[in-house]
Amino acid sequence: MNANQFLKAVQQLQGWRECAFVLSLAERAFPNYALFADAMELKTGAKMRQILDAGWNLLKPDAIEAAIPQWLRKLEALSPDVEEYDAYGVYPAYDFCQLLEQALLNRLNPGKHRATEASQLATATVMSFVEVSEAEELSEDELVRLLDQHPLMKEDKLFQRDLVLELKRQRVPRQEFIDTLRQQAENDGVSNLGISLSD
């Protein structure tokens, strides 16, 4: 699947598939938030985990969507203000919050397509991290080469492509399938930036 085919496949995601796609991106990015919250002693990681879990529960057939506005308010309250922190970690943490917000909004307003923007945001988080951590002295050409070859960029691309293919193949959101998707997204607690909750 080349870049254009991938983009087209993401644009075609709808309904539960689109929600599952964005949730999976949020799940993969969750350690970025949890580690930032820990480092800043915010004690908000567990509360955010609850909202993410609630998001996954929305894919169940008997899901109750009435609580979504309440979760969105909680999410907003737990989202860090990037202006308030000097640490780089606030940016990936904030990006995670944006992804989770998009997943919840998808269930509230399924008519608005959100997967493409979410996909680009998840990739931009990785790109920015690589630039900040490894590209300080590089020319533009060197940076392009670095991003093209970087293991984290390759992993992000692979994860997103596999996700889209699996979602396209699945006809209904069976619990077993959703559980597998979630486990793959969790990636043993290692985020899209290669940082782990057990570090």
Side-chain angles (χ1 to χ4, degrees):
M1 187 190 271
N2 66 31
N4 285 340
Q5 289 168 323
F6 169 73
L7 190 60
K8 195 171 179 188
V10 173
Q11 285 166 346
Q12 287 168 347
L13 291 173
Q14 288 176 344
W16 72 267
R17 288 184 184 84
E18 185 175 18
C19 185
F21 177 77
V22 182
L23 269 174
S24 294
L25 297 180
E27 185 66 62
R28 180 62 63 107
F30 175 68
N32 301 336
Y33 178 89
L35 288 165
F36 168 75
D38 262 10
M40 297 293 142
E41 298 179 348
L42 296 176
K43 301 195 177 15
T44 54
K47 290 175 189 165
M48 190 61 89
R49 178 72 255 177
Q50 284 176 334
I51 301 173
L52 183 52
D53 291 344
W56 282 108
N57 286 334
L58 289 170
L59 294 172
K60 291 180 176 173
D62 55 351
I64 298 163
E65 297 180 2
I68 296 175
Q70 188 187 338
W71 294 333
L72 283 164
R73 283 194 294 276
K74 275 187 186 168
L75 174 60
E76 193 180 351
L78 297 173
S79 297
D81 179 353
V82 292
E83 303 293 323
E84 268 182 41
Y85 296 93
D86 210 12
Y88 173 76
V90 70
Y91 296 104
Y94 180 72
D95 289 351
F96 157 78
C97 297
Q98 298 282 95
L99 288 170
L100 182 50
E101 181 185 45
Q102 290 305 314
L104 295 175
L105 286 169
N106 168 269
R107 297 315 271 172
L108 210 54
N109 175 14
K112 185 179 188 307
H113 179 76
R114 300 174 193 277
T116 305
E117 203 176 310
S119 166
Q120 289 164 349
L121 173 61
T123 302
T125 306
V126 181
M127 208 182 268
S128 164
F129 178 72
V130 171
E131 283 186 38
V132 166
S133 53
E134 296 181 39
E136 210 177 305
E137 304 291 316
L138 299 185
S139 69
E140 212 159 295
D141 286 353
E142 288 168 331
L143 175 60
V144 170
R145 263 200 305 282
L146 173 69
L147 291 171
D148 198 41
Q149 296 302 317
H150 202 281
L152 288 177
M153 293 296 293
K154 286 182 174 180
E155 212 168 294
D156 173 66
K157 195 181 279 185
L158 192 63
F159 170 62
Q160 290 203 36
R161 286 181 185 197
D162 286 351
L163 190 54
V164 169
L165 289 171
E166 283 181 55
L167 286 165
K168 280 181 69 141
R169 281 196 291 263
Q170 186 70 15
R171 289 180 58 193
V172 288
R174 286 207 177 89
Q175 195 54 48
E176 200 182 328
F177 172 73
I178 297 300
D179 290 345
T180 304
L181 215 58
R182 185 174 178 170
Q183 202 177 357
Q184 288 169 349
E186 276 174 4
N187 197 31
D188 294 325
V190 179
S191 84
N192 54 349
L193 304 184
I195 57 178
S196 163
L197 288 172
S198 59
D199 283 354

